[in-house]
Amino acid sequence: MEMSDLDRWLAQRYLKGHWDHQPGPPKVQPYLWRWADIYEGLRSAGEVVPMDKTGRRTVQMRNPSLPAGMTHTIHLSVQLVKPGEIARAHRHVAAAIRYVIKGSPKAWTIVEGERFPMEEGDLITTPNWTWHDHYNGSDEPVMWLDGLDARLVAYLGAQFTENFPQEQQPVEKPDGYASKILGTARPTWMKTGFSSPPFRYRWEETYATLLTLKESEGDPFDGIKLEYVNPFSGGPTLPTYSCEVQLLRPREKTRSHRHTSTTVYQAFRGKGTTVVEGTRMEWEQGDLFVVPPWHWHHHENSLDRDVILFCINDWPVMKALGLYREEAQSV
Ligand code: 1HN
């Protein structure tokens, strides 16, 4: 018997020898999506895709090397809700964040009975298995980024989805509830069942913190960078990923490093360059891009005004599994 005969014999029985190498999963590649394209696609979807056909009107990033998903761990889409529209209530195991691109104090995402206004630059969490629906009560379209760990959850076989019996869940909590009970003075008797609470991180406060720190040293790899922490634990935004925002000062160029976690970015303000393994990704406001695992990268702001990048990084899941490593390029 030849080795190839053996391989065939085994294959017919759904078996395989260690010597018979098969290709591994596809590798996420660095890629940049232009806001102009995303916006054009979404605007057209607003004209031709009715809400009752889709449940959620989103345009999703797909990494060129993957069948779906912006990366193997992070799903990212941009969602549009037109004036008066409702995106119906449901829940799923995959956790989500919303990062508002165009908002209004009269547009809300309702999570577990609390309505959270969606204003530009706000970050709102929809943790694992929380009921959520969206409503635009303003007279302008609203748009936001949806970041979900859905690909990872589905890969692990743990994705479940359920529709709420009505189109919208009732609003049962007073406005500002989460931010009050999770402030610095907290109720003694409340225990929550959520590992991460539904929460709104207001842009106004985040931006004020960035500006307060502008003259400080900052992170050598990322400039003035903030992590949106879980208000219970002080840990990452969600068990699977961390949302972060960074300000690059005029003419700031960061040091290069690489890590096994994957990052997806949105250029929230300004324009600049991220160099990933020698490839220059030139981004402008609204563009989205990926830095794949274990790729050297640094950021450059070559203009005289501030740049702000929003990102989702899957380091919490990598650290939880003992898979996180990082390395700095020597100076
Ligand atoms: C989802 O539930 C929303 O609730 C958005 O707005 C995007 C992508 C995959 C799976 C569920 C939403 C989603 C999603």
Side-chain angles (χ1 to χ4, degrees), residues 56 75 77 79 90 92 98 132 134 146 148:
R56 295 292 189 266
H75 164 101
S77 52
Q79 181 160 173
H90 69 185
H92 35 70
R98 322 287 162 194
H132 56 281
H134 319 300
D146 301 298
L148 288 97

Side-chain angles (χ1 to χ4, degrees), residues 11 27 32 77 96 161 231 240 268 286 299 306:
K27 292 227 158 56
L32 180 144
S77 52
T161 301
T240 43
F268 183 62
H299 310 289
D306 293 346

Side-chain angles (χ1 to χ4, degrees), residues 165-312:
Q166 286 84 41
E167 195 178 27
Q168 286 177 292
Q169 63 183 303
V171 175
E172 288 165 340
K173 294 175 183 153
D175 287 347
Y177 181 82
S179 68
K180 288 195 176 61
I181 70 160
L182 293 164
T184 42
R186 299 186 181 184
T188 55
W189 68 94
M190 276 188 203
K191 296 281 173 278
T192 165
F194 304 117
S195 58
S196 340
F199 203 72
R200 174 187 182 207
Y201 305 81
R202 297 173 64 110
W203 175 245
E204 202 181 301
E205 289 166 23
T206 308
Y207 188 50
T209 308
L210 287 171
L211 292 183
T212 300
L213 295 170
K214 231 184 115 169
E215 304 306 325
S216 46
E217 193 185 350
D219 181 320
F221 306 103
D222 287 301
I224 304 298
K225 187 177 206 181
L226 307 177
E227 291 176 359
Y228 295 92
V229 302
N230 172 334
F232 285 142
S233 63
T237 328
L238 293 166
T240 43
Y241 58 70
S242 169
C243 296
E244 302 171 354
V245 65
Q246 68 200 83
L247 183 148
L248 301 173
R249 293 158 285 194
R251 309 273 161 196
E252 181 159 8
K253 181 176 165 186
T254 62
R255 264 186 72 190
S256 185
H257 70 161
R258 60 179 176 175
H259 38 68
T260 52
S261 61
T262 303
T263 314
V264 302
Y265 289 90
Q266 194 221 14
F268 183 62
R269 292 278 185 270
K271 59 191 272 192
T273 308
T274 297
V275 182
V276 183
E277 298 271 331
T279 302
R280 295 179 67 82
M281 294 208 276
E282 315 267 353
W283 34 261
E284 292 182 20
Q285 191 161 313
D287 292 350
L288 290 152
F289 59 98
V290 172
V291 176
W294 212 238
H295 278 51
W296 292 108
H297 60 280
H298 74 268
H299 310 289
E300 294 175 11
N301 176 6
S302 45
L303 298 179
D304 283 323
R305 44 182 196 162
D306 293 346
V307 153
I308 296 176
L309 294 173
F310 170 77
C311 78
I312 304 177

Side-chain angles (χ1 to χ4, degrees), residues 127-138:
N128 179 327
W129 208 236
T130 51
W131 293 115
H132 56 281
D133 48 284
H134 319 300
Y135 171 63
N136 182 358
S138 79

